[in-house]
Amino acid sequence: MSENSQTAFGPATGVGSLPGDDAREAVKTATGTFEDFPFLPELPARGPGADMIGRTAGMLVELYARVEPSGWRLGDRPGRDTKRARAWLGEDLDALEEFTQGYQGPLKVQAVGPWTLAAALELRGGEAVLSDPGACRDLAASLAEGLRLHLAEIRRRVPGARPVLQLDEPSLTAVLRGQVRSASGYRTHRAVDRQLVEAALREVAGAQSGGDPVVVHSCAPDVPFALLRRAGFAGISFDFSLLTERDDDAIGEAAESGTRLLAGVVPGTDAALSDPAGSVMGVRTLWRRLGLRPELLAEAVTVTPSCGLAGASPAYARRALAQCVRAARSLADNPE
């Protein structure tokens, strides 16, 4: 386990979205619950521009998107939807700055990755950006530049923070398998070559500077662990309940190579919560099955909810985040 992996991450954090529309309340919860690995929350309940696609579209450089009945579509100039997305992000950053005075340590910020963005954003004619390889390249370059500026702003506002960039890629497996539906719904876009997928991910991850880590998150089944490791990600965030024994080798190789595993073990929507040890029982079982050293657990794993919490009740979301902290403590205190 590299020293960088131990110091660059905390034992528990959130995934991204929270319920409600109060930026100060959300940031207060995220920073107060995770004292050593806070995150910048997203509040999609505010409306278009606060959703994950619109929020990231607002970060693009020299590309602009607006809301159409079918979703977000690229246009020629920034309109009210872009301005709204940027204004909400500004509010969130103001709140983050307020609640992180004097903070030093890792701080996670999220944006949609290039392939999920290409599958979700439409070209002017209504087809997905994914349908046009040149448009995919332009989108990745614009996203990388936008994230460079965003991370610089985070560092300016929270000088003691070491930003951890999380790229959300729930559509990545569908992109690789040619399962993203066309605008008509009658066909699917062809699968994208794995080398092209890797290259774009590496380019966007290059927005991070100074050796600070980049992680990728997917709450879809069949996360391509090996591809993501080759693309150079320092951590992979996933829904633990969707793992199958087919993933065992990839998980074991990731853990042994120093890739941080952000294990989503706490349900993302309202559910009865077990005791903290119960939340990470599956992680311990996996560890034993893989024959990995128990003392590696706390060094290799960060505990998170299974996905964003936007669909949860506010009271449950707070309980779920607190459960992540307690479950991580259980993992560290009793690795076996």
Side-chain angles (χ1 to χ4, degrees):
M1 176 63 52
S2 68
E3 181 186 355
N4 187 43
S5 182
Q6 291 181 50
T7 56
F9 300 94
T13 191
V15 169
S17 65
L18 290 179
D21 57 10
D22 185 330
R24 288 186 76 254
E25 188 58 38
V27 171
K28 183 180 177 184
T29 297
T31 55
T33 306
F34 302 108
E35 294 178 358
D36 38 20
F37 197 9
F39 69 103
L40 176 63
E42 300 156 356
L43 299 175
R46 290 186 290 198
D51 60 298
M52 61 186 254
I53 299 298
R55 183 181 182 89
T56 301
M59 296 180 192
L60 297 174
V61 171
E62 295 180 3
L63 286 177
Y64 310 104
R66 64 179 186 274
V67 179
E68 297 285 341
S70 54
W72 284 89
R73 183 173 297 181
L74 293 176
D76 295 323
R77 60 184 67 85
R80 64 182 182 195
D81 298 319
T82 297
K83 289 171 185 168
R84 189 190 302 121
R86 291 176 177 173
W88 274 327
L89 180 58
E91 275 182 35
D92 296 342
L93 292 172
D94 288 344
L96 183 71
E97 188 174 357
E98 177 185 350
F99 287 105
T100 52
Q101 294 291 317
Y103 175 72
Q104 294 191 318
L107 168 65
K108 189 164 71 65
V109 295
Q110 305 82 219
V112 178
W115 294 108
T116 296
L117 204 58
L121 283 179
E122 298 173 356
L123 296 166
R124 289 172 182 80
E127 203 50 86
V129 169
L130 190 64
S131 65
D132 182 334
C136 287
R137 285 194 296 273
D138 291 346
L139 182 63
S142 171
L143 177 59
E145 185 55 31
L147 288 174
R148 212 169 276 122
L149 296 171
H150 180 52
L151 290 163
E153 179 71 358
I154 295 284
R155 291 185 176 94
R156 185 184 72 77
R157 287 174 177 259
V158 193
R162 297 192 305 277
V164 175
L165 172 62
Q166 174 182 302
L167 297 178
D168 292 323
E169 282 284 12
S171 300
L172 183 59
T173 300
V175 167
L176 288 165
R177 292 180 174 174
Q179 294 171 337
V180 176
R181 295 214 159 272
S182 64
S184 68
Y186 293 125
R187 61 182 185 83
T188 56
H189 296 289
R190 68 176 58 183
V192 181
D193 180 86
R194 296 178 90 85
Q195 287 182 310
L196 287 177
V197 168
E198 238 181 273
L201 288 169
R202 199 175 282 114
E203 178 184 6
V204 173
Q208 182 69 285
S209 65
D212 287 326
V214 184
V215 304
V216 68
H217 167 74
S218 173
C219 49
D222 299 321
V223 174
F225 287 95
L227 181 149
L228 295 171
R229 283 181 51 228
R230 283 198 307 275
F233 288 100
I236 302 172
S237 168
F238 54 94
D239 180 343
F240 190 86
S241 71
L242 297 179
L243 291 183
T244 69
E245 292 200 12
R246 289 199 313 271
D247 297 307
D248 278 9
D249 288 346
I251 291 275
E253 287 166 12
E256 290 185 317
S257 70
T259 303
R260 190 77 175 197
L261 301 173
L262 288 84
V265 297
V266 176
T269 51
D270 291 42
L273 295 177
S274 67
D275 64 298
S279 288
V280 285
M281 185 170 62
V283 179
R284 288 193 181 95
T285 302
L286 172 65
W287 228 245
R288 281 195 294 272
R289 194 165 74 231
L290 295 175
L292 294 170
R293 292 181 294 114
E295 59 272 23
L296 188 65
L297 256 179
E299 296 176 11
V301 174
T302 292
V303 176
T304 74
S306 59
C307 205
L309 291 163
S313 67
Y316 174 79
R318 286 191 294 271
R319 283 201 306 276
L321 296 181
Q323 179 83 350
C324 291
V325 174
R326 289 194 293 267
R329 198 171 296 136
S330 162
L331 211 51
D333 291 347
N334 304 294
E336 299 191 58

